[in-house]
Amino acid sequence: MKVNTAAIPIVNTLTADSKARLVNDVESNKPLPIADVYHKENDQQPPSTYRRPVIVGKAQTLIEEPEQTSARLNEAYSQLYFNGDMFKAADKLADQYNQFMHELASDAPQLAEKDWGFSVNESGAIAVSGQLSEDEVSYLEEKLNANKTLVQFANEVKDSFLKFTELERGPSKNATSQYWGKYDVNEKNFSDLVDMRSLMEEQKSFEQSNYSIGENLNLFGFIDNMGAQLSAKAQATYAE
């Protein structure tokens, strides 16, 4: 699927009809023209990386041909901002999360109502955060990590995010990005920056069913939530 980079920052400004057309294009692997999904003035041009090769050093060493840059960015954008591996894993994670919360509401209803979050730490385990007691954190982490399927999908979300944001930045040592790839998120700090429970709360509603991708999550809300978390907590080390 060919992805138009100009559509990425404004996915959540689309009307219901535009979202429905975008979903149809995504599901049918059609190219996404700017005119269909993006209407801001003065922002109609894709990033300049589509028009120039990646070069470094005084000798202007060629790192990528323009066609390679275009293919790389297309893959990264489609994986991160549309119905790619990360969102598909998140949607499956949401199914496990919903089951977990249903059980928690029955077994520990007060804890289910508290403000807490979870993510994946450096070792691949679920780590819980929030204003909780040590016993409450231990209880939740034990329950969450006991669900191997939930842990698997949570790790797939993390791995896909890290893989494709690195791909978005490119091969140069001085690589940069305009979008999520500009943030310094890695294996060590991912759990401090991305709250997966917050992402899991972006459930699709009945009204959204005609233009929602996935079984559980609202793709557009998911993207908006992730972007807001990164903007609030992560350092834009690789910004253009």
Side-chain angles (χ1 to χ4, degrees), residues 38-53:
Y38 196 59
H39 306 288
K40 283 188 178 181
E41 295 181 0
N42 303 321
D43 283 315
Q44 297 292 323
Q45 297 300 319
S48 56
T49 49
Y50 268 82
R51 298 188 298 272
R52 57 180 170 81

Side-chain angles (χ1 to χ4, degrees), residues 19-114:
K19 285 182 177 179
R21 290 197 302 272
L22 176 57
V23 169
N24 288 334
D25 287 348
V26 170
E27 292 180 338
S28 60
N29 290 327
K30 289 175 61 179
L32 305 179
I34 294 175
D36 284 351
V37 294
Y38 196 59
H39 306 288
K40 283 188 178 181
E41 295 181 0
N42 303 321
D43 283 315
Q44 297 292 323
Q45 297 300 319
S48 56
T49 49
Y50 268 82
R51 298 188 298 272
R52 57 180 170 81
V54 177
I55 53 177
V56 295
K58 294 182 179 179
Q60 301 291 291
T61 303
L62 182 67
I63 301 297
E64 277 184 331
E65 295 289 349
E67 295 79 7
Q68 293 174 311
T69 302
S70 180
R72 171 176 58 79
L73 291 177
N74 183 67
E75 181 182 6
Y77 294 152
S78 61
Q79 288 287 350
L80 289 171
Y81 309 110
F82 294 95
N83 190 27
D85 293 345
M86 183 181 67
F87 180 74
K88 289 175 181 176
D91 196 53
K92 293 176 182 177
L93 173 61
D95 188 50
Q96 299 297 315
Y97 168 78
N98 291 342
Q99 294 179 39
F100 172 81
M101 290 303 298
H102 179 75
E103 295 172 1
L104 186 64
S106 175
D107 298 340
Q110 291 184 335
L111 185 54
E113 294 297 323
K114 287 191 174 184

Side-chain angles (χ1 to χ4, degrees), residues 144-158:
L144 287 165
N145 282 295
N147 185 334
K148 301 304 181 184
T149 304
L150 184 149
V151 175
Q152 173 191 335
F153 289 136
N155 273 275
E156 288 181 11
V157 172
K158 174 185 176 180

